[in-house]
């Protein structure tokens, strides 16, 4: 068992990010057994769920003529336009059925505001709107987080970098993550997180 000051944060292990899903990450389901086993080592387990309204601005389908995986400019900066995914209440937004959810004390939903995407579990993509997770972890005495899940180069990396910037010790356990790797995004995520002080384990 890890010390009570350490939390496991399981990012977006949802059907749409697994094989057969709307934004499938290669091998996304291969990490589930390792994550399930890890849960027994942590007193604090947080699951996150990407949770978008159908009209979400990160969906290419809501930008006439835009192709999925193209880039657009939002008021808060550049934004990848994704296939429609993780729509609130749909099967695609549900956790993968093999993921254990009983050990989690906290399920955090993010990306629910139509006008702002939220890769990070701590701040939305405007980098200033908090999700509340920082307060939850701090009031529970958590000082270190291990991050696993999907996708390594987007939601896992953004969450880890924010955790480190907030002064939490942050480790990405790469064997329990899988990446989208869009136009070099994995290499970019690696250098950005390392600069922020994240450890890759
Ligand atoms: C994610 C793209 C869009 C993720 C979520 O969970 O990494 N990526 N929405
Ligand atoms: Zn999303």
């Amino acid at each position: 068992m890890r010390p009570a000051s350490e939390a496991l944060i399981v990012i977006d292990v949802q059907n749409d990010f697994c094989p057969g899903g709307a934004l499938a990450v290669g091998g996304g389901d291969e990490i589930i057994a390792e994550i399930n086993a890890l849960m027994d080592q942590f007193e604090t387990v947080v699951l996150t769920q990407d949770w978008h309204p159908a009209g979400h601005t990160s969906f290419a389908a809501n930008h006439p003529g835009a192709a999925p995986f193209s880039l657009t400019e939002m008021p808060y900066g550049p934004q990848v336009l994704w296939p429609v995914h993780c729509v609130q209440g749909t099967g695609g937004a549900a956790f993968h059925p093999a993921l254990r959810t009983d050990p989690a004390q906290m399920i955090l939903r993010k990306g629910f505001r139509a006008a702002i995407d939220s890769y990070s579990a701590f701040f939305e993509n405007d980098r200033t709107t908090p999700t509340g997770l920082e307060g939850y972890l701090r009031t529970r005495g958590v000082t270190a987080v291990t991050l696993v899940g999907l996708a390594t180069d987007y939601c896992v990396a953004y969450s880890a970098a924010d955790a480190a910037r907030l002064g939490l010790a942050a480790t990405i356990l790469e064997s329990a993550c899988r990446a989208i790797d869009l136009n070099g995004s994995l290499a970019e995520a690696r250098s950005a997180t390392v600069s922020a002080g994240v450890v890759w384990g």
Side-chain angles (χ1 to χ4, degrees):
M1 198 73 183
R2 309 281 191 106
S5 56
E6 293 193 24
L8 178 67
I9 304 185
V10 181
I11 303 287
D12 300 359
V13 182
Q14 294 166 262
N15 288 323
D16 270 343
F17 295 122
C18 291
L23 180 41
V25 181
D29 55 346
E30 296 168 2
I31 61 176
I32 296 173
E34 185 178 350
I35 294 173
N36 284 345
L38 263 175
M39 289 181 187
D40 290 330
Q41 291 186 29
F42 290 84
E43 248 171 62
T44 299
V45 176
V46 175
L47 309 182
T48 72
Q49 210 169 10
D50 211 34
W51 196 251
H52 300 309
H56 201 254
T57 47
S58 79
F59 296 165
N62 294 324
H63 299 256
F69 305 106
S70 64
L71 212 58
T72 192
E73 204 59 41
M74 297 286 192
Y76 53 79
Q79 168 74 47
V80 177
L81 292 177
W82 301 105
V84 173
H85 66 278
C86 296
V87 173
Q88 296 171 3
T90 64
F95 291 115
H96 187 287
L99 183 75
R100 294 171 69 200
T101 59
D102 290 352
Q105 297 86 17
M106 164 86 165
I107 295 177
L108 181 105
R109 288 171 169 170
K110 60 184 181 61
F112 50 77
R113 254 183 264 278
I116 319 181
D117 205 0
S118 188
Y119 294 152
S120 166
F122 292 93
F123 294 99
E124 301 193 19
N125 283 11
D126 61 3
R127 319 307 304 134
T128 57
T129 306
T131 64
L133 182 59
E134 181 193 1
Y136 176 79
L137 294 175
R138 287 207 198 282
T139 54
R140 296 217 36 212
V142 170
T143 57
V145 292
T146 295
L147 298 107
V148 297
L150 305 169
T152 322
D153 41 348
Y154 287 94
C155 292
V156 175
Y158 275 72
S159 301
D162 280 346
R165 284 185 206 110
L166 291 168
L168 299 163
T171 302
I172 293 175
L173 187 60
E174 200 175 5
S175 60
C177 299
R178 289 294 183 275
I180 295 173
D181 205 8
L182 180 66
N183 303 320
S185 56
L186 181 56
E188 216 173 280
R190 203 180 293 274
S191 63
T193 51
V194 168
S195 305
V198 174
V199 172
W200 289 62

